[in-house]
Amino acid sequence: MERIPVLRMGSLLLITIQVDMHDKLALQLQDDVTERISDWGSTGVLIDISSLEIVDSFIGRMLANIAGMSRVLGAETVVVGMQPAVAITLVELGMSLTGVRTALSVEAGMELLYGNSITGSEDERTEA
Amino acid sequence: MSVQKREVLPVKNSNDVVLARQKVRQLAVELRFSLVDQTKLVTAASELARNALDHGKGGSMTVEVIVNGARSGLKMVFEDQGPGIANIEDALKDGFTTGNGMGLGLGGSKRLVNDFSIETEVGKGTRITAVRWK
Amino acid sequence: MNDLAEIISQNEDRLRTEWIRTMSSSVERADLISKAEMNEQCGSILKEIVEGVKTSGPENLSGAGWNGTRELLSSISASRARQGFSPTDVATFVLSLKQPLFVLIRDKMGKSPDQLFETVWSSTRLLDSLALITTEAYTATREELIMRQQQELLELSTPVVKLWDGILALPIIGTLDSARTQVVMESLLQAVVATNSRYAIIDITGVPTVDTLVAQHLLKTITAARLMGAECIISGVRPQIAQTIVHLGINLEDVITKAKLSDAFGLALQRSGRAVVKTAAAAAANPLSGLFGKREE
């Protein structure tokens, strides 16, 4: 069966959504994420949606659900890479995904979850 | 106003929603809508198709490329033979839901298009028309 | 129905003079068009009408014989629309031909009332249809003009400037309406992605007023940026606008606002873990600056 892969990166989970979502896939993903968090004791979940061309209220709800479930299990969720057109549409739709943290890229999302521990090189350069 | 192209697709299951989205995207690209407008159209189509599926027990989508003078646009009509909508005003309010959704489907879709109308009869079904002009 | 064609072609000069006289008594637009030009336009229209009546008859305006008249009238109305004539001026142009033409018809057919009525009736219908053609062409030209202007207005650039690595600024000048907000919003969000900028400063120093609608547009932009993982700071809020915002009851509580662009920039630098410090040379020149450096502006 078609499935969205959930990758383990240290204490984080990385999920890249690339396919057109439908109900079963979304439910399966919620199952997978919650199971992995509890199996691996992950503290953070990164959901990369940079290749999604639309986010409707169905996918929005799925993202909010995953964030909510993960929080209960002790993991923080960051949704990364939302495209401008998608963001504009989502706002017009009336969905602001309150309670879900966001970042521009996977890197920025990791930074957000780990604190500032993995940056440095760029900051040194610009401060000089 | 003239219709230049018309296609009818079934909306009977979750996979049909995906196909409906793809059809709307394809026509929006052909019409040279901007990326943001394409996204709005496809998102509205997705919401309305899902509405027809979840609340109307399935139905059909008719997409038309329409031309009115110098303007061209995309018209989507979603029809179902479901229970109908008892109170349209309530249904368009954000946060209103009879199912388990977020209640953004109808009101939200209305904001994503230029013209939006609902014809419904309790017990008979619902027909929602949405048009976005270029 | 060649009587009509005959009447017109035989009395062309007189008809034209009378026509122009009737026209100028109702609409005097000597400021917009010269006498000679008017004379010439009226002359060629009369010729085309004769041609039309002869070839296709006065009823069938879609007939090939009327092509010349239709094209001529359309182009005249179009150029008048651009010159600044009002729709009334343009319609009156054709309609003022009625009186002089009717006078001629009466002179010629006064003795047989039936024929007189027939000819007057068909020429009235003809001139009314011609007037409609002019109005339609006029409106089409104006619409075209409006659409082009709207497009041009939207294309007035709203530059997104990079202030630092990861910090953008968008100075907005002029009123924000829905169409413009969409363009502004898109270019800002695209720049956020393209430059991977975490902070975007929207400077509204150049926005004359902030009403509920403008505030809503700003909030939408900020929410969209947040969904993408970027943070917006609004700067350039003038005291007057701050008052308006509170009076209107607009909720900007979740939005970071600053009075000046420099304040917003400072905040963005600070949030991204950076600080502006004086160089050693400056500190040496003024030993006290090290103590008070942070307060200097």
Side-chain angles (χ1 to χ4, degrees):
Chain A
M1 191 193 131
E2 203 186 1
R3 221 181 178 130
I4 295 169
V6 179
L7 305 178
R8 182 181 183 178
M9 289 195 330
S11 58
L12 303 182
L13 295 182
L14 176 64
I15 302 151
T16 306
I17 304 180
Q18 278 168 329
V19 292
D20 230 332
M21 280 304 246
H22 54 78
D23 310 29
K24 277 194 194 128
L25 215 52
L27 292 175
Q28 182 70 46
L29 181 63
Q30 288 176 13
D31 281 353
D32 287 352
V33 172
T34 44
E35 258 170 51
R36 297 293 180 280
I37 294 174
S38 88
D39 285 356
W40 295 333
S42 313
T43 56
V45 180
L46 283 168
I47 308 179
D48 180 5
I49 59 164
S50 55
S51 33
L52 277 192
E53 288 178 330
I54 71 152
V55 171
D56 57 5
S57 60
F58 174 76
I59 300 176
R61 190 163 67 240
M62 180 199 76
L63 294 174
N65 283 349
I66 292 181
M69 292 168 187
S70 311
R71 195 172 305 125
V72 175
L73 294 166
E76 188 91 43
T77 303
V78 180
V79 171
V80 304
M82 188 184 290
Q83 293 300 319
V86 173
I88 291 171
T89 304
L90 211 49
V91 172
E92 210 65 61
L93 194 62
M95 223 175 176
S96 49
L97 293 183
T98 34
V100 179
R101 298 175 77 184
T102 52
L104 284 167
S105 59
V106 172
E107 216 181 338
M110 284 168 70
E111 208 176 296
L112 207 62
L113 289 172
Y114 276 131
N116 288 323
S117 56
I118 51 168
T119 57
S121 57
E122 183 241 18
D123 279 44
E124 275 160 31
R125 178 165 56 84
T126 46
E127 261 178 43
Chain B
M1 200 159 79
S2 65
V3 178
Q4 291 208 321
K5 199 171 189 180
R6 169 182 288 141
E7 297 209 36
V8 183
L9 277 81
V11 181
K12 299 284 182 203
N13 55 49
S14 176
N15 200 45
D16 286 344
V17 176
V18 176
L19 295 176
R21 279 204 297 259
Q22 284 167 357
K23 175 54 73 184
V24 170
R25 166 82 65 185
Q26 178 208 329
L27 291 175
V29 171
E30 276 175 26
L31 271 172
R32 296 170 179 270
F33 272 103
S34 73
L35 181 61
V36 172
D37 286 351
Q38 281 176 35
T39 311
K40 286 183 176 172
L41 269 166
V42 177
T43 309
S46 184
E47 297 293 337
L48 294 174
R50 196 168 290 282
N51 177 70
L53 185 65
D54 292 351
H55 303 290
K57 303 189 172 75
S60 68
M61 174 183 82
T62 309
V63 260
E64 291 174 355
V65 174
I66 51 175
V67 175
N68 186 6
R71 294 199 304 173
S72 51
L74 201 63
K75 178 178 175 183
M76 309 182 282
V77 181
F78 293 84
E79 284 166 298
D80 66 57
Q81 281 75 48
I85 302 168
N87 187 335
I88 296 183
E89 254 176 59
D90 276 353
L92 282 171
K93 271 184 203 147
D94 279 354
F96 177 86
T97 174
T98 53
N100 53 0
M102 297 188 88
L104 288 169
L106 291 188
S109 319
K110 189 180 177 191
R111 285 190 293 270
L112 293 179
V113 294
N114 301 117
D115 304 335
F116 188 86
S117 65
I118 302 181
E119 298 153 66
T120 182
E121 199 175 324
V122 175
K124 291 272 178 63
T126 304
R127 172 218 282 267
I128 299 179
T129 309
V131 182
R132 186 161 184 102
W133 296 102
K134 229 189 118 190
Chain C
M1 240 325 142
N2 275 335
D3 295 347
L4 189 59
E6 206 174 291
I7 294 176
I8 299 176
S9 55
Q10 278 173 2
N11 303 286
E12 206 195 297
D13 283 338
R14 186 176 149 205
L15 198 52
R16 191 176 57 209
T17 325
E18 283 298 302
W19 182 12
I20 294 175
R21 207 178 49 76
T22 323
M23 208 182 322
S24 42
S25 66
S26 49
V27 275
E28 182 70 73
R29 299 311 296 258
D31 54 326
L32 294 175
I33 194 160
S34 75
K35 269 251 151 61
E37 199 184 337
M38 191 64 121
N39 219 359
E40 197 200 306
Q41 281 183 352
C42 292
S44 25
I45 288 176
L46 287 177
K47 281 201 188 72
E48 290 292 349
I49 292 179
V50 171
E51 179 65 34
V53 177
K54 271 186 188 156
T55 331
S56 301
E59 301 289 335
N60 180 22
L61 270 180
S62 47
W66 288 105
N67 283 349
T69 316
R70 277 203 310 270
E71 274 165 30
L72 188 61
L73 280 179
S74 302
S75 78
I76 290 179
S77 321
S79 73
R80 296 195 169 192
R82 279 189 286 268
Q83 280 168 325
F85 280 85
S86 77
T88 314
D89 295 344
V90 172
T92 313
F93 173 65
V94 172
L95 292 176
S96 18
L97 181 55
K98 274 190 184 179
Q99 203 202 353
L101 183 61
F102 291 178
V103 169
L104 279 174
I105 295 174
R106 192 191 54 199
D107 290 354
K108 176 124 182 161
M109 301 172 172
K111 290 192 184 85
S112 65
D114 281 355
Q115 204 191 2
L116 176 71
F117 175 79
E118 274 302 315
T119 316
V120 168
W121 175 241
S122 66
S123 40
T124 294
R125 286 186 46 178
L126 171 64
L127 290 182
D128 287 348
S129 315
L130 293 180
L132 282 180
I133 293 180
T134 58
T135 324
E136 217 157 87
Y138 178 87
T139 320
T141 312
R142 288 303 275 255
E143 244 161 46
E144 215 174 89
L145 208 69
I146 292 170
M147 268 168 81
R148 208 180 50 235
Q149 283 171 345
Q150 275 178 340
Q151 209 51 42
E152 278 166 6
L153 215 61
L154 279 181
E155 279 164 12
L156 277 181
S157 63
T158 309
V160 181
V161 286
K162 180 175 168 179
L163 295 182
W164 206 263
D165 268 355
I167 304 174
L168 292 180
L170 172 81
I172 303 180
I173 292 165
T175 312
L176 278 176
D177 62 14
S178 304
R180 183 149 185 249
T181 311
Q182 190 174 342
V183 175
V184 166
M185 196 163 164
E186 269 181 68
S187 53
L188 176 68
L189 299 184
Q190 254 142 26
V192 161
V193 173
T195 59
N196 196 22
S197 294
R198 174 89 196 271
Y199 299 93
I201 301 169
I202 304 177
D203 186 76
I204 58 167
T205 315
V207 178
T209 51
V210 172
D211 56 12
T212 322
L213 209 65
V214 172
Q216 251 168 23
H217 288 322
L218 282 175
L219 283 173
K220 276 185 191 167
T221 311
I222 294 166
T223 313
R226 195 175 287 160
L227 282 172
M228 292 167 49
E231 218 174 319
C232 289
I233 305 171
I234 294 192
S235 73
V237 184
R238 284 176 277 126
Q240 207 186 346
I241 286 184
Q243 289 189 21
T244 319
I245 287 176
V246 173
H247 283 314
L248 287 174
I250 298 166
N251 184 5
L252 289 181
E253 267 169 32
D254 299 332
V255 180
I256 314 162
T257 49
K258 292 280 170 200
K260 292 193 192 103
L261 179 60
S262 55
D263 299 340
F265 184 41
L267 181 72
L269 282 174
Q270 186 199 327
R271 290 225 171 162
S272 49
R274 299 171 175 120
V276 179
V277 289
K278 289 226 162 162
T279 56
N286 179 1
L288 289 180
S289 72
L291 289 173
F292 303 110
K294 275 190 179 160
R295 292 192 185 175
E296 277 184 12
E297 293 230 20

